[in-house]
Amino acid sequence: MVTMKNAGILLLVIVAVGFALFRLLPSEEKAIRKQLTVFSQNASKKSDEKKVEGLRKSRRIAALFHDPCRISVDTVDFTGTFSRQQIMDRITMVRAAYNTVSLTLHDISIQLSKENTADVRMTLRLSGQRQDYTVADVQEVSATLEKIDGDWLFTNVRIVEVLSR
Amino acid sequence: MNWVKRFFLPKITRGFILRLLVVTAAAILIFSQVLIPLRINGQSMEPTYRDGGFTFCWRFRYLLTEPTHGDVVVIRFSGRRVVLLKRVVALAGETVEFRHGVLFVNGQLIDEPYLQTISDWQLPPRVVEPGKVYVVGDNRGVVMERHHFGQVDRQRILGGVLW
């Protein structure tokens, strides 16, 4: 016999199953978030990191970018269209300048604008130690990713100028 | 001591659950939309706000008024999880510059009692664009190139600090 109590429990179960399916099923947004996690994990550096490991991490990061990729980082004069090799060289150089780096991404918003294209906005927080001083920086990043051969790759990355002097 | 027992070990009734839900929902709403807790990370606002300190962003601070000189404002990036605390030093249409670490607005020297560090910043005059305010941190002891400051869209100001 269907009572109010049973109907309530059934409704709760349906909601829970629906929520679990929504969370567990693969989606394009999850695939993009995974790429962003790869980016932040490989950008981070510990003080005892070996050079080979550093190169491996730089390669993993560069593999997230389409070849070529448009990048605009006006503050460090790194603007233009760059090949994957150029991006890897730059990443290797920047990482080498730090003794330790921690990079985290926050407030990520992903909009699947058209088929196989996504616009991503996020806040990038970097903290680290260089030879003689501590670095703490926050930047807003606007990026376009495209699904190419099954992988979501950065095709355009721009640092948003929140404060302009 | 009966009330102590009732307070810490309440009887789970329908009324209690309802009150608990209302209080939880109100707390979530208030602390996510109105009074956003901020843990200070960094030294750019020292000595006013110390690294590791705590305050709240009061979202309604600029509901009826506009940010003005000397206000400490909360600036958002792509969301509210990571924000900047900065002090407003000039408004739209005003000219701002630094001469040997001293702030000048519209050519007038500005007294900044909240500063405790001496700086050597040199910044040529520039006019603040419409719809923007010019913000700087209180810690001017760092090299200018490593300090986040400049003009920011009014729309990016989330609110003011509670204390």
Side-chain angles (χ1 to χ4, degrees), chain A residues 144-155:
Chain A
T144 305
L145 285 89
E146 285 180 35
K147 196 174 184 182
I148 300 160
D149 299 330
D151 287 325
W152 283 98
L153 302 176
F154 289 101
T155 54

Side-chain angles (χ1 to χ4, degrees), chain B residues 78-162:
Chain B
S78 64
R80 297 177 193 168
R81 233 179 104 81
V82 179
V83 294
L84 283 180
L85 282 193
K86 295 286 167 191
R87 192 179 294 275
V88 177
V89 296
L91 307 176
E94 292 181 335
T95 305
V96 58
E97 68 175 302
F98 283 99
R99 292 183 212 158
H100 303 289
V102 179
L103 173 69
F104 287 80
V105 175
N106 291 336
Q108 300 286 309
L109 188 148
I110 304 297
D111 179 34
E112 297 184 283
Y114 39 81
L115 299 185
Q116 280 187 11
T117 45
I118 298 162
S119 87
D120 56 356
W121 292 10
Q122 290 281 12
L123 189 77
R126 65 229 29 233
V127 179
V128 183
E129 293 167 22
K132 296 190 175 188
V133 293
Y134 206 93
V135 296
V136 190
D138 287 356
N139 184 0
R140 315 266 170 89
V142 292
V143 181
M144 197 174 84
E145 286 67 35
R146 276 194 247 137
H147 190 97
H148 258 304
F149 73 96
Q151 44 188 313
V152 62
D153 267 333
R154 168 68 183 86
Q155 301 300 318
R156 281 197 179 262
I157 296 176
L158 265 183
V161 283
L162 201 61

Side-chain angles (χ1 to χ4, degrees), chain B residues 2-149:
Chain B
N2 221 4
W3 68 271
V4 177
K5 193 181 167 190
R6 273 209 314 275
F7 185 82
F8 287 107
L9 297 164
K11 208 178 264 180
I12 311 293
T13 61
R14 191 176 287 188
F16 172 78
I17 290 170
L18 193 68
R19 282 199 300 277
L20 188 69
L21 285 174
V22 169
V23 170
T24 307
I28 290 170
L29 194 71
I30 289 168
F31 293 116
S32 67
Q33 303 297 327
V34 185
L35 275 175
I36 302 169
L38 302 175
R39 189 168 62 83
I40 295 154
N41 200 312
Q43 287 128 17
S44 81
M45 278 301 283
E46 286 193 353
T48 316
Y49 295 95
R50 298 231 175 249
D51 185 24
F54 180 83
T55 188
F56 285 97
C57 168
W58 171 231
R59 291 293 313 280
F60 295 160
R61 175 74 174 81
Y62 300 112
L63 196 66
L64 302 170
T65 59
E66 286 297 311
T68 190
H69 302 95
D71 285 1
V72 176
V73 293
V74 179
I75 299 160
R76 70 163 177 83
F77 285 87
S78 64
R80 297 177 193 168
R81 233 179 104 81
V82 179
V83 294
L84 283 180
L85 282 193
K86 295 286 167 191
R87 192 179 294 275
V88 177
V89 296
L91 307 176
E94 292 181 335
T95 305
V96 58
E97 68 175 302
F98 283 99
R99 292 183 212 158
H100 303 289
V102 179
L103 173 69
F104 287 80
V105 175
N106 291 336
Q108 300 286 309
L109 188 148
I110 304 297
D111 179 34
E112 297 184 283
Y114 39 81
L115 299 185
Q116 280 187 11
T117 45
I118 298 162
S119 87
D120 56 356
W121 292 10
Q122 290 281 12
L123 189 77
R126 65 229 29 233
V127 179
V128 183
E129 293 167 22
K132 296 190 175 188
V133 293
Y134 206 93
V135 296
V136 190
D138 287 356
N139 184 0
R140 315 266 170 89
V142 292
V143 181
M144 197 174 84
E145 286 67 35
R146 276 194 247 137
H147 190 97
H148 258 304
F149 73 96

Side-chain angles (χ1 to χ4, degrees), chain A residues 78-143:
Chain A
F78 189 65
T79 298
T81 303
F82 300 96
S83 69
R84 192 173 279 168
Q85 184 61 47
Q86 285 174 306
I87 293 167
M88 186 183 148
D89 292 345
R90 186 74 180 204
I91 291 164
T92 307
M93 197 181 81
V94 171
R95 288 183 89 258
Y98 287 86
N99 299 331
T100 59
V101 184
S102 166
L103 192 143
T104 50
L105 301 171
H106 307 271
D107 296 317
I108 301 165
S109 75
I110 298 168
Q111 289 203 316
L112 294 154
S113 49
K114 52 188 178 192
E115 202 182 348
N116 294 333
T117 303
D119 294 318
V120 178
R121 279 237 168 195
M122 57 196 158
T123 304
L124 183 150
R125 187 153 172 231
L126 182 142
S127 56
Q129 188 70 42
R130 291 185 84 142
Q131 277 79 12
D132 54 345
Y133 60 93
T134 304
V135 179
D137 198 8
V138 182
Q139 298 288 349
E140 183 173 319
V141 180
S142 170

